[in-house]
Amino acid sequence: MASPAFEEIVEDFAFLDEWEDRYAMVIDMGKALPPMEDALKVPSTKVEGCASQVWLHPEINGNTYRFHGDSDAMIVKGLIAVLAALYNDLPVSEVGKVDAPAELARLGLNEHLSSQRSNGLRAMVKRIRMQAAEAA
């Protein structure tokens, strides 16, 4: 059920033997994220439950889900980029059907993120699912 963009990340991760290389790739993905406008960094877009500052702003165009995100932590920005690859451009009705824990497990993220980062990742997934459900 994963998007081609997410499948590309899975393939890239498969070529990297060391977790440090994968971690660096996630950080590079975060650096490549387009900046989020400060005007969108408001309480309604802030994700609670993250150790870092995290904002996710949905954009529903017709029936297509997309979001922009930002964080004050580079690794979290990278995780936002991973989630964008997983969810962006899906039909709104499909967002809630994505088994994010299973898809992210394919990257080995579960074993290598701190408990705080894992909790934050779950909070971001919850927010994305909630945004899509509200738009449906």
Side-chain angles (χ1 to χ4, degrees):
M1 168 126 190
S3 70
F6 186 79
E7 289 299 334
E8 187 175 320
I9 295 170
V10 172
E11 289 174 18
D12 290 345
F13 265 47
F15 287 108
L16 302 173
D17 294 327
E18 301 296 323
W19 173 249
E20 291 80 16
D21 295 334
R22 293 176 180 189
Y23 196 80
M25 182 180 158
V26 171
I27 290 172
D28 287 343
M29 290 172 62
K31 289 178 182 176
L33 263 184
M36 185 175 181
E37 296 175 31
D38 286 339
L40 297 176
K41 296 178 182 178
V42 296
S44 63
T45 62
K46 189 165 191 265
V47 178
E48 299 299 327
C50 295
S52 307
Q53 300 284 327
V54 177
W55 299 270
L56 298 178
H57 180 263
E59 287 185 1
I60 311 301
N61 187 4
N63 186 36
T64 303
Y65 179 83
R66 178 172 264 292
F67 76 91
H68 298 285
D70 203 355
S71 176
D72 60 351
M74 265 307 147
I75 186 64
V76 177
K77 282 184 80 158
L79 295 174
I80 291 168
V82 170
L83 291 176
L86 185 60
Y87 286 106
N88 277 356
D89 299 323
L90 287 178
V92 172
S93 60
E94 297 297 312
V95 170
K97 296 176 184 176
V98 174
D99 186 352
E103 294 297 340
L104 295 170
R106 294 171 59 201
L107 300 177
L109 291 175
N110 302 344
E111 303 92 48
H112 296 284
L113 293 178
S114 69
S115 61
Q116 282 185 319
R117 293 276 186 247
S118 293
N119 288 340
L121 189 58
R122 281 192 292 278
M124 287 187 280
V125 169
K126 183 178 177 183
R127 172 64 67 93
I128 289 166
R129 293 171 63 101
M130 181 186 74
Q131 291 169 341
E134 289 173 356

